[in-house]
mmCIF file of all heavy atoms in Angstrom:
data_model
loop_
_atom_site.group_PDB
_atom_site.id
_atom_site.type_symbol
_atom_site.label_atom_id
_atom_site.label_comp_id
_atom_site.label_asym_id
_atom_site.label_seq_id
_atom_site.Cartn_x
_atom_site.Cartn_y
_atom_site.Cartn_z
ATOM 1 N N ASN A 1 0.849 -1.230 0.026
ATOM 2 C CA ASN A 1 0.012 -0.078 -0.040
ATOM 3 C C ASN A 1 0.898 1.297 0.019
ATOM 4 O O ASN A 1 1.968 1.187 0.472
ATOM 5 C CB ASN A 1 -0.934 -0.028 1.145
ATOM 6 C CG ASN A 1 -2.148 -0.866 1.103
ATOM 7 O OD1 ASN A 1 -3.086 -0.588 0.300
ATOM 8 N ND2 ASN A 1 -2.094 -2.059 1.737
ATOM 9 N N TYR A 2 0.396 2.296 -0.579
ATOM 10 C CA TYR A 2 1.104 3.613 -0.716
ATOM 11 C C TYR A 2 0.298 4.816 -0.359
ATOM 12 O O TYR A 2 -0.902 4.759 -0.421
ATOM 13 C CB TYR A 2 1.545 3.751 -2.266
ATOM 14 C CG TYR A 2 2.310 2.494 -2.719
ATOM 15 C CD1 TYR A 2 1.745 1.464 -3.368
ATOM 16 C CD2 TYR A 2 3.713 2.572 -2.770
ATOM 17 C CE1 TYR A 2 2.478 0.405 -3.904
ATOM 18 C CE2 TYR A 2 4.530 1.536 -3.192
ATOM 19 C CZ TYR A 2 3.842 0.428 -3.733
ATOM 20 O OH TYR A 2 4.491 -0.563 -4.192
ATOM 21 N N ALA A 3 1.051 5.737 0.223
ATOM 22 C CA ALA A 3 0.448 7.102 0.381
ATOM 23 C C ALA A 3 -0.105 7.571 -1.013
ATOM 24 O O ALA A 3 0.546 7.369 -1.959
ATOM 25 C CB ALA A 3 1.444 8.074 0.905
ATOM 26 N N GLU A 4 -1.228 8.253 -1.026
ATOM 27 C CA GLU A 4 -1.692 8.817 -2.220
ATOM 28 C C GLU A 4 -0.763 9.682 -2.926
ATOM 29 O O GLU A 4 -0.733 9.732 -4.303
ATOM 30 C CB GLU A 4 -3.064 9.528 -1.915
ATOM 31 C CG GLU A 4 -4.206 8.643 -1.686
ATOM 32 C CD GLU A 4 -4.568 7.669 -2.729
ATOM 33 O OE1 GLU A 4 -4.558 8.121 -3.949
ATOM 34 O OE2 GLU A 4 -4.858 6.531 -2.553
ATOM 35 N N SER A 5 0.115 10.364 -2.285
ATOM 36 C CA SER A 5 0.981 11.374 -2.899
ATOM 37 C C SER A 5 2.112 10.607 -3.726
ATOM 38 O O SER A 5 2.734 11.263 -4.554
ATOM 39 C CB SER A 5 1.654 12.185 -1.858
ATOM 40 O OG SER A 5 2.363 11.403 -0.811
ATOM 41 N N VAL A 6 2.352 9.356 -3.458
ATOM 42 C CA VAL A 6 3.448 8.598 -4.176
ATOM 43 C C VAL A 6 2.760 7.532 -5.071
ATOM 44 O O VAL A 6 3.638 6.862 -5.814
ATOM 45 C CB VAL A 6 4.416 8.098 -3.180
ATOM 46 C CG1 VAL A 6 4.990 9.184 -2.335
ATOM 47 C CG2 VAL A 6 3.913 6.921 -2.414
ATOM 48 N N LYS A 7 1.598 7.161 -4.870
ATOM 49 C CA LYS A 7 1.015 6.110 -5.693
ATOM 50 C C LYS A 7 1.216 6.287 -7.102
ATOM 51 O O LYS A 7 0.879 7.340 -7.622
ATOM 52 C CB LYS A 7 -0.413 5.936 -5.297
ATOM 53 C CG LYS A 7 -0.991 4.610 -5.663
ATOM 54 C CD LYS A 7 -2.404 4.473 -5.152
ATOM 55 C CE LYS A 7 -3.054 3.107 -5.485
ATOM 56 N NZ LYS A 7 -4.370 2.774 -4.876
ATOM 57 N N GLY A 8 1.687 5.197 -7.687
ATOM 58 C CA GLY A 8 1.893 5.298 -9.221
ATOM 59 C C GLY A 8 3.319 5.606 -9.527
ATOM 60 O O GLY A 8 3.728 5.600 -10.751
ATOM 61 N N ARG A 9 4.034 6.219 -8.683
ATOM 62 C CA ARG A 9 5.325 6.666 -8.847
ATOM 63 C C ARG A 9 6.393 5.828 -8.075
ATOM 64 O O ARG A 9 7.458 5.627 -8.443
ATOM 65 C CB ARG A 9 5.631 8.201 -8.429
ATOM 66 C CG ARG A 9 4.729 9.096 -9.227
ATOM 67 C CD ARG A 9 4.952 10.513 -8.919
ATOM 68 N NE ARG A 9 4.728 10.933 -7.502
ATOM 69 C CZ ARG A 9 5.713 11.271 -6.620
ATOM 70 N NH1 ARG A 9 6.936 11.441 -7.081
ATOM 71 N NH2 ARG A 9 5.371 11.604 -5.435
ATOM 72 N N PHE A 10 5.945 5.348 -6.892
ATOM 73 C CA PHE A 10 6.977 4.651 -6.058
ATOM 74 C C PHE A 10 6.511 3.065 -5.948
ATOM 75 O O PHE A 10 5.372 2.792 -6.111
ATOM 76 C CB PHE A 10 6.912 5.151 -4.614
ATOM 77 C CG PHE A 10 7.482 6.523 -4.371
ATOM 78 C CD1 PHE A 10 7.859 7.251 -5.460
ATOM 79 C CD2 PHE A 10 7.725 7.024 -3.039
ATOM 80 C CE1 PHE A 10 8.364 8.538 -5.264
ATOM 81 C CE2 PHE A 10 8.317 8.256 -2.844
ATOM 82 C CZ PHE A 10 8.658 9.050 -3.950
ATOM 83 N N THR A 11 7.492 2.303 -5.812
ATOM 84 C CA THR A 11 7.188 0.771 -5.698
ATOM 85 C C THR A 11 8.014 0.247 -4.557
ATOM 86 O O THR A 11 9.372 0.420 -4.578
ATOM 87 C CB THR A 11 7.612 0.133 -6.999
ATOM 88 O OG1 THR A 11 6.762 0.623 -8.114
ATOM 89 C CG2 THR A 11 7.253 -1.434 -6.866
ATOM 90 N N ILE A 12 7.483 -0.395 -3.696
ATOM 91 C CA ILE A 12 8.109 -1.026 -2.588
ATOM 92 C C ILE A 12 8.363 -2.558 -2.853
ATOM 93 O O ILE A 12 7.358 -3.154 -3.503
ATOM 94 C CB ILE A 12 7.356 -0.855 -1.216
ATOM 95 C CG1 ILE A 12 8.206 -1.389 -0.077
ATOM 96 C CG2 ILE A 12 5.996 -1.475 -1.268
ATOM 97 C CD1 ILE A 12 7.620 -0.949 1.416
ATOM 98 N N SER A 13 9.440 -3.154 -2.569
ATOM 99 C CA SER A 13 9.548 -4.565 -2.837
ATOM 100 C C SER A 13 10.483 -5.157 -1.587
ATOM 101 O O SER A 13 11.184 -4.297 -1.002
ATOM 102 C CB SER A 13 10.258 -4.792 -4.119
ATOM 103 O OG SER A 13 11.497 -4.148 -4.220
ATOM 104 N N ARG A 14 10.553 -6.407 -1.521
ATOM 105 C CA ARG A 14 11.352 -7.024 -0.539
ATOM 106 C C ARG A 14 11.989 -8.233 -1.102
ATOM 107 O O ARG A 14 11.376 -8.970 -1.927
ATOM 108 C CB ARG A 14 10.569 -7.320 0.769
ATOM 109 C CG ARG A 14 9.482 -8.308 0.699
ATOM 110 C CD ARG A 14 8.638 -8.311 1.957
ATOM 111 N NE ARG A 14 9.302 -8.752 3.058
ATOM 112 C CZ ARG A 14 8.809 -8.568 4.290
ATOM 113 N NH1 ARG A 14 7.661 -8.118 4.452
ATOM 114 N NH2 ARG A 14 9.510 -8.968 5.311
ATOM 115 N N ASP A 15 13.249 -8.564 -0.627
ATOM 116 C CA ASP A 15 13.902 -9.787 -0.887
ATOM 117 C C ASP A 15 14.267 -10.532 0.443
ATOM 118 O O ASP A 15 15.265 -10.065 1.117
ATOM 119 C CB ASP A 15 15.176 -9.477 -1.725
ATOM 120 C CG ASP A 15 15.841 -10.618 -2.252
ATOM 121 O OD1 ASP A 15 15.723 -11.704 -1.578
ATOM 122 O OD2 ASP A 15 16.560 -10.577 -3.228
ATOM 123 N N ASN A 16 13.436 -11.356 0.826
ATOM 124 C CA ASN A 16 13.640 -12.043 2.198
ATOM 125 C C ASN A 16 14.988 -12.777 2.222
ATOM 126 O O ASN A 16 15.503 -12.842 3.418
ATOM 127 C CB ASN A 16 12.396 -12.859 2.462
ATOM 128 C CG ASN A 16 11.177 -12.107 2.643
ATOM 129 O OD1 ASN A 16 11.213 -11.023 3.228
ATOM 130 N ND2 ASN A 16 9.937 -12.674 2.325
ATOM 131 N N ALA A 17 15.297 -13.329 1.168
ATOM 132 C CA ALA A 17 16.577 -14.182 1.157
ATOM 133 C C ALA A 17 17.766 -13.185 1.450
ATOM 134 O O ALA A 17 18.742 -13.721 2.051
ATOM 135 C CB ALA A 17 16.736 -14.796 -0.211
ATOM 136 N N LYS A 18 17.788 -11.978 1.100
ATOM 137 C CA LYS A 18 18.740 -10.993 1.386
ATOM 138 C C LYS A 18 18.544 -10.033 2.478
ATOM 139 O O LYS A 18 19.280 -9.137 2.836
ATOM 140 C CB LYS A 18 19.041 -10.221 0.012
ATOM 141 C CG LYS A 18 19.629 -11.050 -1.113
ATOM 142 C CD LYS A 18 19.884 -10.142 -2.329
ATOM 143 C CE LYS A 18 20.388 -10.958 -3.482
ATOM 144 N NZ LYS A 18 20.608 -10.069 -4.769
ATOM 145 N N ASN A 19 17.398 -10.283 3.246
ATOM 146 C CA ASN A 19 16.902 -9.383 4.275
ATOM 147 C C ASN A 19 17.054 -7.886 3.783
ATOM 148 O O ASN A 19 17.473 -7.064 4.540
ATOM 149 C CB ASN A 19 17.858 -9.648 5.408
ATOM 150 C CG ASN A 19 17.667 -11.051 6.092
ATOM 151 O OD1 ASN A 19 16.722 -11.613 5.907
ATOM 152 N ND2 ASN A 19 18.715 -11.379 6.907
ATOM 153 N N THR A 20 16.419 -7.650 2.798
ATOM 154 C CA THR A 20 16.465 -6.279 2.183
ATOM 155 C C THR A 20 15.102 -5.954 1.639
ATOM 156 O O THR A 20 14.206 -6.663 1.080
ATOM 157 C CB THR A 20 17.429 -6.284 0.938
ATOM 158 O OG1 THR A 20 18.655 -6.655 1.413
ATOM 159 C CG2 THR A 20 17.559 -4.904 0.435
ATOM 160 N N VAL A 21 14.743 -4.641 1.919
ATOM 161 C CA VAL A 21 13.594 -4.045 1.244
ATOM 162 C C VAL A 21 13.995 -2.733 0.486
ATOM 163 O O VAL A 21 15.003 -2.108 0.750
ATOM 164 C CB VAL A 21 12.610 -3.594 2.406
ATOM 165 C CG1 VAL A 21 13.109 -2.529 3.358
ATOM 166 C CG2 VAL A 21 11.296 -3.169 1.842
ATOM 167 N N HIS A 22 13.305 -2.534 -0.626
ATOM 168 C CA HIS A 22 13.659 -1.380 -1.620
ATOM 169 C C HIS A 22 12.475 -0.573 -1.753
ATOM 170 O O HIS A 22 11.320 -0.852 -1.622
ATOM 171 C CB HIS A 22 14.119 -2.070 -2.899
ATOM 172 C CG HIS A 22 15.214 -2.984 -2.873
ATOM 173 N ND1 HIS A 22 16.498 -2.603 -2.692
ATOM 174 C CD2 HIS A 22 15.242 -4.374 -2.874
ATOM 175 C CE1 HIS A 22 17.270 -3.672 -2.718
ATOM 176 N NE2 HIS A 22 16.569 -4.780 -2.789
ATOM 177 N N LEU A 23 12.865 0.702 -2.097
ATOM 178 C CA LEU A 23 11.830 1.681 -2.539
ATOM 179 C C LEU A 23 12.318 2.253 -3.836
ATOM 180 O O LEU A 23 13.269 3.152 -3.776
ATOM 181 C CB LEU A 23 11.545 2.743 -1.539
ATOM 182 C CG LEU A 23 10.357 3.694 -1.812
ATOM 183 C CD1 LEU A 23 9.190 2.975 -1.784
ATOM 184 C CD2 LEU A 23 10.484 4.891 -0.875
ATOM 185 N N GLN A 24 11.800 1.917 -4.962
ATOM 186 C CA GLN A 24 11.996 2.466 -6.186
ATOM 187 C C GLN A 24 11.145 3.774 -6.447
ATOM 188 O O GLN A 24 10.037 3.675 -6.287
ATOM 189 C CB GLN A 24 11.725 1.441 -7.415
ATOM 190 C CG GLN A 24 11.938 2.088 -8.792
ATOM 191 C CD GLN A 24 13.367 2.412 -9.015
ATOM 192 O OE1 GLN A 24 14.232 1.521 -8.817
ATOM 193 N NE2 GLN A 24 13.655 3.593 -9.469
ATOM 194 N N MET A 25 11.839 4.851 -6.582
ATOM 195 C CA MET A 25 11.173 6.080 -6.635
ATOM 196 C C MET A 25 11.389 6.811 -8.087
ATOM 197 O O MET A 25 12.551 7.060 -8.468
ATOM 198 C CB MET A 25 11.654 7.106 -5.620
ATOM 199 C CG MET A 25 11.515 6.566 -4.172
ATOM 200 S SD MET A 25 12.049 7.733 -2.923
ATOM 201 C CE MET A 25 13.804 7.934 -3.351
ATOM 202 N N ASN A 26 10.266 7.002 -8.766
ATOM 203 C CA ASN A 26 10.331 7.475 -10.144
ATOM 204 C C ASN A 26 9.532 8.834 -10.098
ATOM 205 O O ASN A 26 8.714 9.043 -9.294
ATOM 206 C CB ASN A 26 9.716 6.467 -11.066
ATOM 207 C CG ASN A 26 10.556 5.259 -11.158
ATOM 208 O OD1 ASN A 26 11.730 5.208 -11.116
ATOM 209 N ND2 ASN A 26 9.726 4.145 -11.411
ATOM 210 N N SER A 27 9.733 9.519 -11.183
ATOM 211 C CA SER A 27 9.091 10.858 -11.377
ATOM 212 C C SER A 27 9.137 11.674 -10.179
ATOM 213 O O SER A 27 8.079 12.247 -9.677
ATOM 214 C CB SER A 27 7.600 10.551 -11.919
ATOM 215 O OG SER A 27 7.635 9.875 -13.051
ATOM 216 N N LEU A 28 10.321 11.830 -9.605
ATOM 217 C CA LEU A 28 10.461 12.511 -8.270
ATOM 218 C C LEU A 28 10.057 14.000 -8.354
ATOM 219 O O LEU A 28 10.306 14.672 -9.437
ATOM 220 C CB LEU A 28 11.837 12.316 -7.780
ATOM 221 C CG LEU A 28 12.092 11.046 -7.157
ATOM 222 C CD1 LEU A 28 13.613 10.769 -6.959
ATOM 223 C CD2 LEU A 28 11.484 10.897 -5.761
ATOM 224 N N LYS A 29 9.491 14.585 -7.257
ATOM 225 C CA LYS A 29 9.035 15.846 -7.306
ATOM 226 C C LYS A 29 9.838 16.608 -6.062
ATOM 227 O O LYS A 29 10.123 15.955 -5.082
ATOM 228 C CB LYS A 29 7.602 15.920 -6.971
ATOM 229 C CG LYS A 29 6.611 15.296 -8.040
ATOM 230 C CD LYS A 29 5.207 15.269 -7.683
ATOM 231 C CE LYS A 29 4.383 14.614 -8.711
ATOM 232 N NZ LYS A 29 2.965 14.529 -8.299
ATOM 233 N N PRO A 30 9.940 17.855 -6.111
ATOM 234 C CA PRO A 30 10.590 18.656 -4.953
ATOM 235 C C PRO A 30 9.861 18.299 -3.730
ATOM 236 O O PRO A 30 10.581 18.233 -2.653
ATOM 237 C CB PRO A 30 10.437 20.104 -5.404
ATOM 238 C CG PRO A 30 10.369 20.060 -6.877
ATOM 239 C CD PRO A 30 9.670 18.788 -7.261
ATOM 240 N N GLU A 31 8.609 18.133 -3.685
ATOM 241 C CA GLU A 31 7.786 17.802 -2.337
ATOM 242 C C GLU A 31 8.209 16.417 -1.802
ATOM 243 O O GLU A 31 7.783 16.113 -0.706
ATOM 244 C CB GLU A 31 6.344 17.886 -2.589
ATOM 245 C CG GLU A 31 5.783 17.203 -3.743
ATOM 246 C CD GLU A 31 5.572 18.085 -4.938
ATOM 247 O OE1 GLU A 31 6.558 18.882 -5.282
ATOM 248 O OE2 GLU A 31 4.547 18.095 -5.628
ATOM 249 N N ASP A 32 8.929 15.637 -2.636
ATOM 250 C CA ASP A 32 9.455 14.308 -2.063
ATOM 251 C C ASP A 32 10.606 14.478 -1.260
ATOM 252 O O ASP A 32 11.024 13.439 -0.605
ATOM 253 C CB ASP A 32 9.730 13.401 -3.237
ATOM 254 C CG ASP A 32 8.469 12.878 -4.041
ATOM 255 O OD1 ASP A 32 7.377 12.749 -3.470
ATOM 256 O OD2 ASP A 32 8.537 12.842 -5.150
ATOM 257 N N THR A 33 11.258 15.561 -1.153
ATOM 258 C CA THR A 33 12.440 15.899 -0.394
ATOM 259 C C THR A 33 12.121 15.643 1.085
ATOM 260 O O THR A 33 11.175 16.216 1.682
ATOM 261 C CB THR A 33 12.857 17.354 -0.644
ATOM 262 O OG1 THR A 33 13.264 17.488 -1.942
ATOM 263 C CG2 THR A 33 13.984 17.652 0.295
ATOM 264 N N ALA A 34 12.873 14.732 1.618
ATOM 265 C CA ALA A 34 12.672 14.322 3.002
ATOM 266 C C ALA A 34 13.819 13.373 3.386
ATOM 267 O O ALA A 34 14.548 12.948 2.599
ATOM 268 C CB ALA A 34 11.437 13.702 3.208
ATOM 269 N N VAL A 35 13.908 13.043 4.624
ATOM 270 C CA VAL A 35 14.755 11.980 5.171
ATOM 271 C C VAL A 35 13.839 10.668 5.116
ATOM 272 O O VAL A 35 12.741 10.750 5.691
ATOM 273 C CB VAL A 35 15.259 12.139 6.651
ATOM 274 C CG1 VAL A 35 16.041 10.938 7.049
ATOM 275 C CG2 VAL A 35 16.158 13.416 6.595
ATOM 276 N N TYR A 36 14.293 9.691 4.537
ATOM 277 C CA TYR A 36 13.446 8.457 4.370
ATOM 278 C C TYR A 36 13.957 7.403 5.378
ATOM 279 O O TYR A 36 15.174 7.122 5.409
ATOM 280 C CB TYR A 36 13.565 7.971 2.956
ATOM 281 C CG TYR A 36 12.727 8.689 1.942
ATOM 282 C CD1 TYR A 36 13.140 10.017 1.598
ATOM 283 C CD2 TYR A 36 11.536 8.158 1.524
ATOM 284 C CE1 TYR A 36 12.275 10.708 0.734
ATOM 285 C CE2 TYR A 36 10.825 8.963 0.609
ATOM 286 C CZ TYR A 36 11.091 10.162 0.292
ATOM 287 O OH TYR A 36 10.330 10.902 -0.543
ATOM 288 N N TYR A 37 13.010 6.745 6.005
ATOM 289 C CA TYR A 37 13.473 5.754 7.056
ATOM 290 C C TYR A 37 12.763 4.419 6.817
ATOM 291 O O TYR A 37 11.612 4.434 6.346
ATOM 292 C CB TYR A 37 12.887 6.219 8.419
ATOM 293 C CG TYR A 37 13.466 7.552 8.961
ATOM 294 C CD1 TYR A 37 12.833 8.734 8.634
ATOM 295 C CD2 TYR A 37 14.556 7.506 9.751
ATOM 296 C CE1 TYR A 37 13.397 9.982 9.084
ATOM 297 C CE2 TYR A 37 15.088 8.690 10.168
ATOM 298 C CZ TYR A 37 14.475 9.913 9.966
ATOM 299 O OH TYR A 37 15.033 11.075 10.341
ATOM 300 N N CYS A 38 13.549 3.381 7.103
ATOM 301 C CA CYS A 38 13.042 2.005 6.929
ATOM 302 C C CYS A 38 12.489 1.625 8.371
ATOM 303 O O CYS A 38 12.977 1.952 9.285
ATOM 304 C CB CYS A 38 14.251 1.144 6.559
ATOM 305 S SG CYS A 38 13.776 -0.612 6.352
ATOM 306 N N ASN A 39 11.443 0.840 8.262
ATOM 307 C CA ASN A 39 10.741 0.512 9.438
ATOM 308 C C ASN A 39 10.349 -1.094 9.498
ATOM 309 O O ASN A 39 9.926 -1.524 8.407
ATOM 310 C CB ASN A 39 9.489 1.266 9.731
ATOM 311 C CG ASN A 39 8.665 0.842 10.736
ATOM 312 O OD1 ASN A 39 7.760 -0.075 10.516
ATOM 313 N ND2 ASN A 39 8.784 1.408 12.013
ATOM 314 N N LEU A 40 10.527 -1.629 10.567
ATOM 315 C CA LEU A 40 10.191 -3.085 10.636
ATOM 316 C C LEU A 40 9.424 -3.334 12.038
ATOM 317 O O LEU A 40 9.856 -2.789 13.075
ATOM 318 C CB LEU A 40 11.556 -3.971 10.709
ATOM 319 C CG LEU A 40 11.292 -5.422 11.127
ATOM 320 C CD1 LEU A 40 10.469 -6.183 10.080
ATOM 321 C CD2 LEU A 40 12.659 -6.071 11.252
ATOM 322 N N ARG A 41 8.282 -3.983 11.870
ATOM 323 C CA ARG A 41 7.553 -4.476 13.025
ATOM 324 C C ARG A 41 7.753 -5.916 13.243
ATOM 325 O O ARG A 41 7.456 -6.623 12.254
ATOM 326 C CB ARG A 41 6.036 -4.021 12.884
ATOM 327 C CG ARG A 41 5.833 -2.550 13.007
ATOM 328 C CD ARG A 41 4.289 -2.351 13.143
ATOM 329 N NE ARG A 41 3.723 -2.854 14.396
ATOM 330 C CZ ARG A 41 3.780 -2.258 15.516
ATOM 331 N NH1 ARG A 41 4.169 -1.122 15.776
ATOM 332 N NH2 ARG A 41 3.338 -2.999 16.601
ATOM 333 N N ALA A 42 8.142 -6.209 14.404
ATOM 334 C CA ALA A 42 8.340 -7.655 14.747
ATOM 335 C C ALA A 42 7.781 -7.981 16.086
ATOM 336 O O ALA A 42 8.368 -7.717 17.192
ATOM 337 C CB ALA A 42 9.827 -8.057 14.595
ATOM 338 N N GLY A 43 6.583 -8.520 16.108
ATOM 339 C CA GLY A 43 5.885 -8.683 17.410
ATOM 340 C C GLY A 43 5.636 -7.381 18.178
ATOM 341 O O GLY A 43 5.124 -6.441 17.643
ATOM 342 N N VAL A 44 6.166 -7.337 19.263
ATOM 343 C CA VAL A 44 6.077 -6.158 20.139
ATOM 344 C C VAL A 44 7.145 -5.096 19.870
ATOM 345 O O VAL A 44 7.118 -4.017 20.431
ATOM 346 C CB VAL A 44 5.978 -6.447 21.642
ATOM 347 C CG1 VAL A 44 4.812 -7.467 21.948
ATOM 348 C CG2 VAL A 44 7.336 -7.084 22.160
#
């Protein structure tokens, strides 16, 4: 799922074998400027 502001431009994917998650960002806009953080929820 995506925020409406990035839907159609960003794609999230994961590679469990490599313990990696990616965010492909296309058609970037100035309003996309930010610090981007990875988040993981594991139980509590």
Side-chain angles (χ1 to χ4, degrees):
N1 283 287
Y2 302 89
E4 287 297 319
S5 60
V6 307
K7 194 171 185 178
R9 300 187 297 120
F10 291 11
T11 303
I12 188 171
S13 62
R14 66 192 297 167
D15 186 338
N16 291 324
K18 297 181 179 180
N19 291 341
T20 304
V21 62
H22 304 281
L23 185 68
Q24 177 67 50
M25 306 185 295
N26 299 325
S27 301
L28 284 162
K29 304 175 180 179
E31 50 263 45
D32 295 319
T33 295
V35 177
Y36 284 71
Y37 298 90
C38 182
N39 170 273
L40 167 67
R41 291 192 61 86
V44 300

